[in-house]
Amino acid sequence: DLCPTCATSVALPFAPSTMSARRSKKALTPESLIAQLRKLPENLTCPDCGETSQYGFDAVVMTVNGDHLHSFVCSQCKSAHQSFSHRVKSIGMSNWTMDEAVTLEAKNG
């Protein structure tokens, strides 16, 4: 095999197909799916106050009074929801399951 940088012959520690399989597995994590959803145009505006973000918001309202909302919200609205004991998850600080990520995709993707 040839080194892509210098075009010299090198022995790769694993087959190229294994490397692409590793990348595709990495692309299927809940965190990477949520990161993609966060940047969708419809998720760049807070549904509560109308604030916009060019990078997406860091929080998702999961449940309000037993209803599953799954909305990306700004930090001020996140705090308001938390003050009413609504379940809010952080994009970067919470653990996400694949089921939660897929549900979020179905509602906001």
Side-chain angles (χ1 to χ4, degrees):
D1 293 319
L2 292 177
C3 172
T5 309
C6 63
T8 59
S9 181
V10 295
L12 294 175
F14 45 83
S17 61
T18 307
M19 187 168 70
S20 63
R22 286 182 188 167
R23 285 186 188 147
S24 62
K25 282 184 184 176
K26 186 176 182 181
L28 296 176
T29 65
E31 292 79 13
S32 63
L33 178 57
I34 291 168
Q36 292 172 2
L37 294 173
R38 165 186 191 191
K39 295 176 185 173
L40 292 175
E42 58 269 25
N43 294 328
L44 298 178
T45 302
C46 178
D48 293 339
C49 69
E51 180 182 337
T52 59
S53 169
Q54 78 180 68
Y55 303 112
F57 297 109
D58 291 333
V60 176
V61 178
M62 301 297 286
T63 54
V64 174
N65 301 329
D67 295 329
H68 299 284
L69 289 184
H70 299 95
S71 301
F72 289 87
V73 294
C74 70
S75 61
Q76 288 183 331
C77 291
K78 174 194 106 169
S79 297
H81 279 283
Q82 287 175 324
S83 72
F84 290 113
S85 298
H86 299 162
R87 183 170 177 236
V88 180
K89 288 188 84 167
S90 168
I91 299 298
M93 299 300 291
S94 297
N95 292 321
W96 290 83
T97 66
M98 189 52 111
D99 287 340
E100 289 172 327
V102 169
T103 301
L104 186 60
E105 180 181 36
K107 300 227 178 200
N108 285 318

